[in-house]
Every structure is written in structure tokens, then in C-alpha cells.
Amino acid sequence: MKRIAVLASGRGTNLEAILEAVERGDIAGEVALVISDQETAQALQRAERRGVKALYLNPKDYGGREQYDQAIVDQLKEARIDLVALAGFMRLLTPFFVNAFPQQIMNIHPSLLPAFPGLDGVEQALAYGVKVTGCTVHFVDQGLDTGPVILQEAVPVIQQDTVETLHQRIHASEHRLYPTAIDLFCNDKLKVEGRRCMIIE
Ligand code: GRF
């Protein structure tokens, strides 16, 4: 059984979807740890409500980004984590962190990468005027939303959309996609060849 950690800064609806999928038996793993950089993150409460260890680490308590990431990595190693799932974790990981978990860190992004990376992927798509956007689960590498794509799902943009309505539909799509990608990882079905992530049949 793979041991999963989820890192989240905010509402944690993706965390909730992952926890629900684990409870349903749709993910062949367990969420062993949730970490947040925000004391009041709803994600921490969601974890506690389901009896999952939830940890707040305050970046201000550490000398810099590297020291902070070292503290997170220490916690992850101590908990014998196999997969780190970023779910709205609003910090860029240092190379030290990425190297500590090679091809074991995933992220979910609210656009069809490589379109609209970085912050406000939904706003960017709406402002650009694309007719189709969506969400992407990818492995994390040293860049900003640049790692190998694991799964993507398209979401049509409708004429009446605001950032809120579009983000709502993308969220619904994320809540399906992320647990699916995590389950593939837990079943050792993902293999990265160069930039391509293959799903082993
Ligand atoms: C999601 O839209 C995800 O794509 C982005 O951050 C948001 C997190 O939402 N990386 P939530 O906290 O899981 O509700």
C-alpha cells in the first residue's frame, strides 16, 4: 500500500476528493500526512475530520526556502511517504525538495498545460478567449508547471462564464482526474520516458 502525503495551502477540495476516493477504495493507497503552509487552511481541518495527521509548518519559522523545504522533506521521509500530491500548495518547491522525491511529486493545475501555467490559470484562459480549457495532472520538475503530463481533461468555456463558474466546472473535473492519476501511481502504472508519461496496460 503506497503512502501518500498531500500538501495544500487553501480550501482543500482536491484533498477532500482524494480522501473520499481512498475511503471508497478507488485509490490503492492511504493518505498518511497532510501538510500546509497556512495555519487556517481548510485543508488541515478536512484532514483532521477524517483522522488524517495534519501538520502546519510556518515558513517564517525557517531561515529560508531551502530550510523550509528541508523541514517538509524530513516530515515526509519520517512518514515513509511514496507520493507527494500538491493540491493548491502555493509555493514553488526548491530543487532540493524535487530531487528528494524524483518522479514522486504530482501537481494539479487548472488549465491544459503548457497553456496558461503559473498563477490564475483560469483567469488567463478566460482573458485569452480560448473555447476549451481544462486541468492537468503532471509530475513536478524544477520548472513552473513544466513536468511530464500524466492526465488531462478538457472543459469547454461557455459564453456566460465568469472566472468563478469556469473554475467551478474545472474543479469538478479535477476531483475526478486527480484521484485517477494517484491510483495509477499507486498501482505502479506510470512510466516516464523523456517528456512522455506512459500508462502501463
Ligand atoms: C485547484 O484549482 C488546483 O488546480 C490549483 O489550486 C486549486 C486548489 O483548489 N493548483 P482546492 O484547494 O483543492 O480546492
Side-chain angles (χ1 to χ4, degrees):
M1 195 78 121
K2 295 273 201 272
R3 292 172 63 79
I4 305 158
V6 179
L7 272 53
S9 302
R11 276 174 63 208
T13 64
N14 278 284
L15 166 67
E16 190 86 41
I18 293 164
L19 292 171
E20 280 172 9
V22 166
E23 276 183 20
R24 283 196 307 271
D26 288 348
I27 290 178
E30 57 175 314
V31 178
L33 181 61
V34 170
I35 298 179
S36 183
D37 60 336
Q38 300 295 323
E39 193 168 16
T40 56
Q42 232 179 298
L44 291 173
Q45 296 155 30
R46 290 182 198 267
E48 278 164 3
R49 224 178 291 140
R50 285 175 192 266
V52 173
K53 184 177 174 191
L55 205 63
Y56 160 57
L57 293 178
N58 184 352
K60 294 203 183 98
D61 289 345
Y62 301 87
R65 286 180 61 214
E66 186 109 351
Q67 287 91 330
Y68 184 69
D69 279 6
Q70 172 84 61
I72 295 183
V73 167
D74 286 349
Q75 292 291 337
L76 298 172
K77 294 284 183 196
E78 197 187 310
R80 293 173 285 108
I81 295 302
D82 301 297
L83 174 68
V84 182
L86 308 182
F89 190 60
M90 302 307 285
R91 297 175 64 87
L92 201 59
L93 308 191
T94 57
F96 165 77
F97 190 160
V98 176
N99 292 333
F101 287 90
Q103 256 141 51
Q104 290 170 285
I105 310 174
M106 281 185 191
N107 182 40
I108 182 133
H109 183 78
S111 76
L112 292 176
L113 291 171
F116 314 125
L119 285 177
D120 309 324
V122 181
E123 264 169 56
Q124 289 183 57
L126 202 59
Y128 194 91
V130 294
K131 303 298 184 195
V132 178
T133 182
C135 54
T136 304
V137 181
H138 63 93
F139 280 117
V140 171
D141 66 6
Q142 311 276 348
L144 177 63
D145 302 325
T146 52
V149 170
I150 301 166
L151 292 176
Q152 292 186 303
E153 193 171 288
V155 174
V157 181
I158 57 174
Q159 202 131 308
Q160 295 77 13
D161 262 333
T162 60
V163 173
E164 288 70 36
T165 59
L166 182 55
H167 207 166
Q168 234 167 26
R169 291 205 311 291
I170 292 175
H171 253 124
S173 166
E174 290 182 347
H175 298 161
R176 286 188 296 273
L177 205 67
Y178 213 178
T180 307
I182 290 174
D183 185 52
L184 286 169
F185 179 94
C186 290
N187 285 304
D188 294 317
K189 296 236 181 239
L190 300 177
K191 187 167 166 237
V192 177
E193 292 174 6
R195 276 214 52 86
R196 299 184 73 191
C197 178
M198 313 304 232
I199 296 170
I200 302 161
E201 299 295 327

